[in-house]
């Protein structure tokens, strides 16, 4: 085996298929453990061919992270779903003309602030906060480090906090 390159990791996954599927099932994947195994397989195939020191440990850690990301996404989706239903069940309150105008102006300012941070920061913020995608998945999508994703999110949060303080002062 090539000591942890993407092809080597996939070969090791084939050898350890049963253990990995049982590991995923025991961590809450249940009947979807096989599907998660395939998702993990695809992720391992997209890695660069840099060597990994402990390939088996790396695979189990990646499986654990995959389960964690799926739980976070499910929790975020459930929260959004509940919030949506709470809003739908609330009595319909239409904002007055002035409130609607202020809300539109604030939304325009928010969109401009995010756009002003650059397309990557804007896209990463929207992917994380609106789409509910995990930071590790975003890092993989953009081909950047997790630290870069975190820093981009911090930039967006800082800009939005400054904007909120400005809105509150008005």
């Amino acid at each position: 085996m090539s000591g942890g390159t993407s092809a080597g990791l996939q070969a090791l996954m084939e050898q350890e298929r049963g253990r990995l599927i049982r590991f995923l099932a025991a961590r809450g994947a249940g009947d979807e453990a096989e599907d998660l195994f395939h998702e993990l397989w695809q992720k391992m195939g997209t890695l660069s061919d840099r060597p990994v020191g402990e390939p088996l440990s790396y695979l189990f850690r990646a499986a654990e992270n995959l389960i964690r990301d799926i739980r976070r996404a499910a929790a975020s989706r459930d929260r959004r779903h509940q919030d949506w239903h709470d809003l739908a069940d609330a009595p319909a309150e239409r904002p007055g003309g002035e409130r609607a105008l202020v809300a539109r102006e604030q939304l325009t300012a928010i969109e401009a602030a995010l756009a002003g941070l650059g397309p990557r920061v804007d896209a990463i913020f929207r992917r994380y906060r609106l789409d509910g995608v995990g930071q590790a998945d975003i890092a993989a999508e953009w081909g950047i480090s997790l630290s870069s994703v975190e820093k981009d999110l911090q930039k967006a949060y800082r800009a939005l906090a400054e904007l909120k303080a400005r809105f509150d002062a008005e």
Side-chain angles (χ1 to χ4, degrees), residues 3 20 31 34 65 74 82 86 88 94 106-109 129-130:
L20 282 164
D31 294 337
E34 185 76 30
N65 289 340
Q82 184 61 45
D86 290 347
R94 298 211 63 172
Q106 288 178 343
L107 180 59
T108 301
R129 294 299 298 182
L130 301 179

Side-chain angles (χ1 to χ4, degrees), residues 9 15-16 25 46-48 56 65 72 95 131 140 156 163 165-166 169:
L9 287 170
Q15 292 172 4
E16 299 294 335
T46 62
L47 296 176
S48 65
L56 188 58
N65 289 340
R72 285 181 185 153
D131 298 339
L163 205 50
R166 197 180 88 206

Side-chain angles (χ1 to χ4, degrees), residues 1 7-21 34 37-38 41 56 59:
M1 179 169 63
L9 287 170
Q10 286 180 321
L12 182 59
M13 283 186 73
E14 266 310 305
Q15 292 172 4
E16 299 294 335
R17 179 186 188 95
R19 282 179 61 194
L20 282 164
I21 290 174
E34 185 76 30
F37 176 83
H38 289 290
W41 172 273
L56 188 58
L59 287 176

